[in-house]
Amino acid sequence: MLLRPPRNLVSQRSRIGLAIQFTAISNETLIQIALSPNLQPRQPTMPQSAERHILVVEDQADIADLIAMHVRDLGHQVTVVHNGQSGFELASNRRFDLIVLDVMLPGRDGLDVLRGLRQERVTTPILMLTARSGEIDRVLGLELGADDYLTKPFSVLELTARVKAILRRADLAKTAAPSEHTRRIMSGELVIDEAAHEVSLRGRIVGLTSKEFDLLFHLARHPGRAFTRAQLLDAIWGTTFEGYEHNVNTHINRLRSKIEVDPANPVYVLTVRGLGYRFTDQR
């Protein structure tokens, strides 16, 4: 059944353990509540690791409160704001472990916030929320540097699973502890500095998005090794993006336009016909 969210929905939801999905209809947000006869009252999930600080930027208060409640159940601290400019200012000036960012925000929309944060070199993982059904928002968000996305309506289980997956990938990146020689990769006039998350060409800094840097660094760590588009998609964006292999092509093209003298005849990021891409093995 579909009904408008009552003011005391959060307390009702906590007592009876409802499964919830969101959907946007005629600019009004409705909440779909599915009752299972065998559903038991939900017990809060105990944190499996240190508490993280999550920023939720969502203009619809009912949705924001429900997201915050479930993220807190994972054992994390949550800050909620309801407009894009406030979210941008907080994310630019405070440290967060994850940002849950809605696309449709008053004033400054989510894509503009995402673009601004990546231009400011804020590398915090970002999970985008969108009520739009077209893939253009998803693809654009990924190209701007989003780490994952959810399209409304979405289930609470999917939301929490993606939050945990993003945080887990961030943990793996931090604990990988690469050796010193892999922190700084030099190839011709190109220098990739992992510690500074920075790329320079002929002594000048190259402005890359977070995903462009991750893609370049992943290839450069394995010079000469050919990767399929599916392998790169999985390594950089995660398995949730199966079927969006053309997004790899878009990022490669943008990357080449920034680091290659002649993008049509690249010397660093090379095409392996019929397979995918590789980084040059010429140092």
Side-chain angles (χ1 to χ4, degrees):
M1 62 181 168
L2 291 175
L3 50 127
R4 300 181 189 281
R7 294 182 181 276
N8 62 345
L9 173 64
V10 172
S11 60
Q12 292 177 356
R13 153 67 181 77
S14 298
R15 289 196 302 269
I16 62 178
L18 301 178
I20 301 174
Q21 289 186 322
F22 306 120
T23 184
I25 300 177
S26 302
N27 296 323
E28 293 185 72
T29 298
L30 304 180
I31 293 182
Q32 179 178 346
I33 301 178
L35 291 173
S36 170
N38 298 320
L39 194 61
Q40 299 298 319
R42 176 181 51 81
Q43 298 297 323
T45 302
M46 295 301 292
Q48 297 180 353
S49 58
E51 180 183 73
R52 316 297 177 81
H53 196 175
I54 315 298
L55 175 63
V56 176
V57 187
E58 166 62 65
D59 63 316
Q60 299 183 64
D62 291 305
I63 294 179
D65 289 345
L66 285 166
I67 292 173
M69 180 179 65
H70 283 280
V71 173
R72 288 189 182 105
D73 281 351
L74 297 175
H76 306 310
Q77 181 183 353
V78 181
T79 296
V80 177
V81 295
H82 301 293
N83 65 79
Q85 186 58 34
S86 295
F88 175 79
E89 292 173 359
L90 270 177
S92 298
N93 296 290
R94 293 174 57 182
R95 180 188 175 280
F96 293 94
D97 297 285
L98 172 65
I99 301 169
V100 180
L101 178 63
D102 190 27
V103 170
M104 299 294 289
L105 293 169
R108 189 170 187 177
D109 67 47
L111 291 175
D112 190 50
V113 171
L114 170 63
R115 182 185 296 107
L117 291 175
R118 294 316 189 213
Q119 288 175 347
E120 292 291 324
R121 298 190 180 181
V122 175
T123 59
T124 306
I126 295 178
L127 170 61
M128 299 294 295
L129 306 178
T130 176
R132 299 174 182 175
S133 58
E135 72 172 5
I136 184 63
D137 287 321
R138 301 194 294 272
V139 173
L140 182 56
L142 295 176
E143 291 179 355
L144 290 174
D147 293 83
D148 205 343
Y149 71 88
L150 272 176
T151 303
K152 300 175 183 177
F154 56 81
S155 71
V156 166
L157 288 177
E158 185 176 16
L159 168 70
T160 54
R162 290 185 186 241
V163 167
K164 289 189 286 187
I166 292 174
L167 294 176
R168 185 166 57 249
R169 289 200 297 269
D171 280 345
L172 290 173
K174 290 177 182 177
T175 58
S179 59
E180 287 300 318
H181 75 275
T182 62
R183 285 185 173 274
R184 189 177 176 88
I185 299 173
M186 302 179 67
S187 179
E189 297 178 303
L190 185 70
V191 178
I192 307 168
D193 189 331
E194 184 199 17
H197 211 265
E198 196 171 77
V199 172
S200 60
L201 182 65
R202 295 187 293 278
R204 294 187 176 183
I205 300 299
V206 179
L208 301 182
T209 67
S210 177
K211 289 303 180 190
E212 287 168 353
F213 179 89
D214 291 345
L215 181 59
L216 177 60
F217 186 73
H218 183 74
L219 289 167
R221 286 184 65 185
H222 308 279
R225 175 180 169 183
F227 291 90
T228 67
R229 292 169 181 82
Q231 288 173 328
L232 292 172
L233 194 68
D234 181 41
I236 307 304
W237 286 272
T239 56
T240 54
F241 294 105
E242 182 179 358
Y244 286 87
E245 295 179 12
H246 60 279
N247 192 51
V248 174
N249 299 342
T250 300
H251 275 73
I252 290 290
N253 290 337
R254 291 192 176 192
L255 188 56
R256 284 173 170 169
S257 72
K258 296 178 180 181
I259 67 171
E260 302 284 1
V261 175
D262 180 5
N265 297 285
V267 298
Y268 295 115
V269 179
L270 309 177
T271 298
V272 181
R273 294 191 180 280
L275 183 65
Y277 302 99
R278 69 178 177 88
F279 192 80
T280 180
D281 54 3
Q282 302 296 317
R283 293 297 187 182

